[in-house]
Amino acid sequence: MDTRTSREAPAPRRALVTGASSGIGSAFAARLARDGYDLVLVARDRARLSTLASQLRDRHGAGVHVVPADLTQAAQLHSVEREIAQHPLDLLINNAGFATNGRFAMLDPDREEE
């Protein structure tokens, strides 16, 4: 049951976008900011994330938190997990990753797990 009065604004929705520093991830972040989401942006490149965060704040007034992280590294992945645990999300865009090529049964399992 919603106990807010009609005058209280709803809390902003919050989304986390991995792979946010360029390409599709950056486009998702821009669209979500335009749609009123506050964002957590995750990618390896701190400088590009910071530039994007500034643009989204200026253009859309979005709340943006930057989390530089290489998600193939356990300690850095845990920093993202802590961020989510402390500040729950409404939406996750898991865009980080890379592709491998070949017959699945022949691929290196450790590389695939990354």
Side-chain angles (χ1 to χ4, degrees):
M1 179 162 97
D2 189 354
T3 59
R4 291 176 288 172
T5 66
S6 61
R7 291 180 225 188
E8 290 179 30
R13 295 172 294 177
R14 192 162 188 268
L16 185 143
V17 181
T18 66
S21 63
S22 65
I24 295 171
S26 178
F28 270 121
R31 175 62 188 257
L32 291 167
R34 189 186 83 196
D35 289 351
Y37 280 83
D38 283 346
L39 300 170
V40 178
L41 303 179
V42 179
R44 291 177 288 195
D45 190 322
R46 178 188 297 271
R48 285 167 64 175
L49 283 177
S50 295
T51 298
L52 177 60
S54 293
Q55 292 170 350
L56 297 177
R57 287 182 193 113
D58 293 346
R59 288 183 190 153
H60 305 290
V64 184
H65 181 67
V66 168
V67 180
D70 179 343
L71 300 178
T72 67
Q73 303 298 313
Q76 294 178 45
L77 176 59
H78 292 311
S79 71
V80 175
E81 291 170 344
R82 283 190 299 275
E83 173 68 26
I84 294 168
Q86 292 173 355
H87 306 284
L89 302 173
D90 297 295
L91 181 65
L92 169 66
I93 304 292
N94 188 16
N95 179 64
F98 60 91
T100 55
N101 198 5
R103 295 180 65 92
F104 182 73
M106 304 304 290
L107 297 174
D108 177 7
D110 293 330
R111 184 75 172 148
E112 289 304 300
E113 189 172 316
E114 287 179 10

